[in-house]
Amino acid sequence: METSISYLAQHPIFDIEKPFDTDVPVDHIPGARASNHQNDERAVTVYPIIDPDEWDLEKHGFCFIKARTGLKAQDALTRKREVQKGYWYEIEALLHEKFPQYSRIECYDCTVRKRDPDFPANIRIYTKVEQPARRPHSDCSPRGAHMNLERAFPGQESFWEGKDFDVLNVWRPLRGPNNDWPLAMCDWTTIDASTDVRVNDAIRRDRVDENAILHFNEKHKWYYMKDQSVEDLIVFRNADSLGKRAQGFHCSVLNPEASGQLRESVEVRCVAFR
């Protein structure tokens, strides 16, 4: 698939400022900026996954699980609060079966996305469902992973402080087969973490997160699952507590060959202890 990816541009400002962005309106504040990012739009080839079993979480930063889950699309879109815990239990069981290296897994977040017909020209925020994310990123840095748990499990620092853990995402479409704005994954073995990765302050209306964003490198190799079904789960690592393991940098990409329904997807985030 020939498409483009909106990388974070290399810029001298990052010699004196940490990258940041916010989805909170700041137009009414004199001198305020919503971001110090500049786009670096690059034409890329995103290759289809041929054999899902070839991909390894520890090496590539992502892998695949083939499994049927009970979450219905309409429930996810309209009753997320009521049904998310049941889905979490399903995901935890699947991850325990797939990854025996984890002694304990706890899901703590669920995001539902439904692409608007006019995306990306108009990107609506703080609605019941979110839009796809075009910037290649990891949802949290190692420091951001600790910030995630502090917010998700308040007053329970003994639960995670000083522990060896990963923050994982499990992503799938709500209706399939999906080819509309699919999730593209970057092979970690093609990323130079010393030059390509930039930590970023993600300022939200109720918190500040720290995630990681990619700069362009011509060596990057991107992949997606063509005709992804609801039983094709993508598992990727956002970060680990030690900052030593493969990360699953990802973004949504325009598929010029797509036709049919607009993308609807669900992703859960969990902490997995070793």
Side-chain angles (χ1 to χ4, degrees):
M1 172 174 57
E2 301 302 321
T3 186
S4 66
I5 287 180
S6 184
Y7 283 93
L8 176 67
Q10 296 275 11
H11 195 281
I13 197 171
F14 298 141
D15 293 335
I16 59 173
E17 286 186 359
K18 184 179 179 181
F20 71 88
D21 69 277
T22 182
D23 53 16
V24 179
V26 298
D27 295 345
H28 62 290
I29 304 173
R33 295 170 293 163
S35 176
N36 60 358
H37 296 184
Q38 291 186 13
N39 287 340
D40 183 10
E41 197 76 22
R42 298 283 183 154
V44 299
T45 300
V46 182
Y47 299 95
I49 296 291
I50 303 301
D51 181 1
D53 293 336
E54 289 184 355
W55 300 91
D56 182 79
L57 180 69
E58 302 303 332
K59 179 179 180 180
H60 304 106
F62 65 94
C63 66
F64 299 89
I65 296 176
K66 189 77 170 182
R68 179 174 297 180
T69 55
L71 181 65
K72 295 179 173 57
Q74 193 60 27
D75 286 341
L77 291 165
T78 62
R79 302 174 55 245
K80 186 185 82 168
R81 285 182 179 272
E82 291 87 346
V83 300
Q84 68 180 8
K85 284 191 176 181
Y87 187 54
W88 287 353
Y89 297 148
E90 288 187 281
I91 294 300
E92 290 166 4
L94 289 171
L95 294 177
H96 273 298
E97 182 178 355
K98 175 75 172 180
F99 304 111
Q101 65 266 38
Y102 295 127
S103 62
R104 183 176 180 181
I105 298 172
E106 296 280 350
C107 292
Y108 63 88
D109 188 52
C110 180
T111 300
V112 176
R113 302 181 192 269
K114 180 178 181 180
R115 184 174 80 81
D116 287 335
D118 55 355
F119 173 89
N122 291 307
I123 301 177
R124 296 166 182 83
I125 59 174
Y126 295 126
T127 60
K128 288 185 177 180
V129 292
E130 298 188 23
Q131 295 302 298
R134 294 194 64 226
R135 179 86 74 207
H137 67 285
S138 178
D139 291 6
C140 59
S141 65
R143 176 173 177 264
H146 289 84
M147 296 164 71
N148 269 212
L149 298 194
E150 185 174 2
R151 184 174 65 255
F153 305 102
Q156 301 180 55
E157 288 77 10
S158 61
F159 169 59
W160 50 268
E161 279 187 341
K163 306 289 179 59
D164 184 2
F165 63 83
D166 294 342
V167 172
L168 306 177
N169 269 34
V170 182
W171 191 102
R172 71 166 175 88
L174 284 168
R175 307 182 200 274
N178 181 73
N179 289 298
D180 180 68
W181 285 89
L183 191 70
M185 303 297 308
C186 191
D187 180 355
W188 175 254
T189 67
T190 69
I191 294 174
D192 184 342
S194 66
T195 58
D196 301 351
V197 177
R198 184 81 68 166
V199 294
N200 175 76
D201 282 337
I203 304 166
R204 306 297 176 242
R205 60 181 175 180
D206 59 346
R207 67 189 189 277
V208 177
D209 288 332
E210 185 179 86
N211 59 10
I213 304 178
L214 275 187
H215 294 301
F216 174 74
N217 185 326
E218 63 182 8
K219 295 181 180 180
H220 291 168
K221 296 286 187 178
W222 289 90
Y223 297 88
Y224 81 109
M225 178 163 280
K226 186 176 181 179
D227 299 321
Q228 186 176 358
S229 78
V230 298
E231 296 180 9
D232 295 315
L233 281 62
I234 305 176
V235 182
F236 56 90
R237 179 187 293 111
N238 286 297
D240 68 275
S241 56
L242 305 177
K244 294 183 177 181
R245 302 187 184 110
Q247 291 177 261
F249 280 87
H250 58 282
C251 63
S252 296
V253 294
L254 171 66
N255 182 356
E257 303 170 2
S259 60
Q261 63 190 8
L262 304 184
R263 192 191 98 184
E264 298 173 355
S265 61
V266 60
E267 60 206 77
V268 297
R269 189 175 300 157
C270 62
V271 55
F273 293 94
R274 292 178 179 261

